[in-house]
Amino acid sequence: MEFMIRGLNLSVSDRFREYAGEKLTKIEQLGDKVQRVDVKVSKETNSRASEAPLTVELTVVGRGPVIRAEAAAADKFAAFDLAHGKLLERLRRVKDKRKVHHGRHAPVAVNEATSSLTPVSSSEPIYAQSTPEPAVEVSPYDIENDIPAGDSPVLIRRKVFPATALTLDDAVDNMELVGHDFYLFIDSATGIPSVVYRRRGWTYGVISLDPDAQEPAGVEEVSAYRSADEPVRV
């Protein structure tokens, strides 16, 4: 397993790289053939330097679904610990679900799965006395290729991902694992592009684009998560 650490609007010290690398090597016990872990440490540029929070994003890439966790704190070590705790919880959820799926009705206990992991604090940073990082001159844009090519200050960034055919239930699971409010996928039942999104309470919505649809207002259906019942049109 490899891991990549990069800083956005700040420099990343060798001490932080060593600390993060030591912690991240332990996630292989929970991950399913983890190939890479990406770490992004970022600092807001629209706030005063002394008050700007630091955000740590952790993304696990492997054979299974992409798993992501994010946390913010005044200290990057504290932000990492919080994000790391969230990431472990999501990895445990995937591991337990996989064991149930393969016929084990009782998933492994959390205490057993995490017995060899070092507990982390959610209230204070481990490196509370860390040396402040030197100031780094940064671009007003998030990344280097954000600089506009024309005369408009409005930027449009495009990301292209491989098209993945999933069931609606699996799309909901993947959305929760990456911590997003929406998730774009190809519906395996219909073969058309769809996006699932989180609504208020424990409910979700899904929007699909069908070039052959005859009703301008669309057709609305209601179904239950992980249920064998047919969807009901309303």
Side-chain angles (χ1 to χ4, degrees):
M1 182 190 72
E2 63 176 342
F3 66 92
M4 301 177 59
I5 301 179
R6 64 188 181 95
L8 183 62
N9 300 328
L10 53 79
S11 60
V12 179
S13 65
D14 291 338
R15 180 170 56 175
F16 180 83
R17 293 180 183 275
E18 293 174 0
Y19 175 74
E22 181 180 354
K23 303 281 284 189
L24 293 175
T25 55
K26 299 178 181 179
I27 71 171
E28 288 185 287
Q29 302 173 43
L30 294 174
D32 182 21
K33 292 188 177 181
V34 177
Q35 298 172 353
R36 189 180 77 250
V37 181
D38 295 332
V39 182
K40 184 174 77 171
V41 185
S42 59
K43 182 177 182 180
E44 294 184 4
T45 57
N46 57 354
S47 303
R48 288 183 297 175
S50 60
E51 299 178 356
L54 300 176
T55 301
V56 173
E57 299 178 25
L58 305 178
T59 304
V60 175
V61 180
R63 187 177 66 179
V66 174
I67 303 176
R68 179 178 173 274
E70 176 181 332
D75 178 271
K76 62 178 174 292
F77 290 93
F80 177 87
D81 287 344
L82 293 173
H84 185 256
K86 293 180 181 179
L87 185 66
L88 292 182
E89 179 59 33
R90 289 171 181 171
L91 285 168
R92 294 186 195 107
R93 190 185 311 168
V94 173
K95 187 174 183 178
D96 289 348
K97 178 181 175 182
R98 185 177 298 111
K99 288 185 176 181
V100 172
H101 178 72
H102 287 293
R104 294 184 57 176
H105 298 285
V108 64
V110 174
N111 290 339
E112 179 184 348
T114 61
S115 59
S116 59
L117 299 177
T118 304
V120 297
S121 172
S122 60
S123 58
E124 61 179 356
I126 293 180
Y127 285 85
Q129 304 298 323
S130 58
T131 304
E133 298 294 338
V136 178
E137 184 177 353
V138 298
S139 167
Y141 301 100
D142 285 344
I143 56 178
E144 294 180 359
N145 62 0
D146 265 352
I147 300 176
D151 57 359
S152 173
V154 179
L155 307 179
I156 300 177
R157 294 175 60 187
R158 179 193 299 271
K159 288 187 177 181
V160 179
F161 296 94
T164 303
L166 299 171
T167 65
L168 177 56
D169 294 333
D170 287 339
V172 170
D173 291 342
N174 285 1
M175 180 185 69
E176 293 293 349
L177 289 176
V178 297
H180 288 173
D181 293 326
F182 68 93
Y183 191 84
L184 183 64
F185 68 106
I186 301 296
D187 193 328
S188 60
T190 62
I192 60 178
S194 303
V195 60
V196 64
Y197 61 94
R198 185 182 291 108
R199 304 179 67 188
R200 285 183 293 182
W202 289 100
T203 60
Y204 300 90
V206 61
I207 298 175
S208 301
L209 297 178
D210 186 354
D212 298 325
Q214 302 299 320
E215 302 183 32
V219 177
E220 186 173 351
E221 296 180 343
V222 177
S223 60
Y225 174 78
R226 298 293 178 189
S227 173
D229 297 334
E230 292 294 328
V232 177
R233 290 195 175 188
V234 296

